[in-house]
Amino acid sequence: MNAKNQISCAQKILYRVVTLMVLFPSLFMGNLSLAQAQTWTSTHEITYYQGNKPGAVSFTFDDGLMTQATVGVAELNARGLKGTFFIITSRGEVPWSTWRNLAAQGHEIASHTVTHR
């Protein structure tokens, strides 16, 4: 079996496991019959993004560095784009007032672990 088939097989298994995890509680609550569950797992639907776009790109920044809050944001803003900034609260390289200002501009300020462990 080549690597392409192994990946495909692994993806199928993962899909089935996730589907069962989602559906299993519903089967016991009576919201979904077994026949409906089997039908549902064999189909899928692509959901489009706002404006009927087929996909999206996320700009994410790790560790909350000063250059991200200055250079990165300036580049994003110049193009009308928004970013997500995962900041380490213990580092404190960028003041909280800066992060609040970026959030007010529409950028997302997100949680990060204190360390990378």
Side-chain angles (χ1 to χ4, degrees):
M1 184 179 267
N2 64 30
K4 184 176 179 181
N5 289 340
Q6 289 176 347
I7 292 171
S8 178
C9 182
Q11 288 172 335
K12 287 179 185 178
I13 292 169
L14 180 61
Y15 173 77
R16 297 287 184 195
V17 168
V18 170
T19 300
L20 288 173
M21 290 171 58
V22 170
L23 293 178
F24 191 69
S26 297
L27 290 172
F28 281 101
M29 294 186 306
N31 296 338
L32 198 59
S33 73
L34 186 56
Q36 288 171 319
Q38 289 172 344
T39 302
W40 184 81
T41 58
S42 63
T43 63
H44 67 278
E45 178 181 340
I46 296 174
T47 303
Y48 288 89
Y49 290 89
Q50 186 177 22
N52 206 32
K53 295 179 179 79
V57 174
S58 295
F59 295 100
T60 63
F61 300 84
D62 194 34
D63 297 342
L65 304 175
M66 182 60 79
T67 55
Q68 297 167 352
T70 55
V71 178
V73 169
E75 292 295 326
L76 290 170
N77 287 345
R79 292 162 178 80
L81 302 171
K82 303 299 176 196
T84 300
F85 298 84
F86 294 94
I87 60 171
I88 300 175
T89 57
S90 64
R91 183 170 281 165
E93 184 176 323
V94 180
W96 281 107
S97 58
T98 300
W99 295 123
R100 281 190 213 99
N101 183 23
L102 298 182
Q105 294 175 35
H107 299 281
E108 181 180 25
I109 310 305
S111 176
H112 189 299
T113 59
V114 176
T115 67
H116 278 130
R117 291 185 201 181

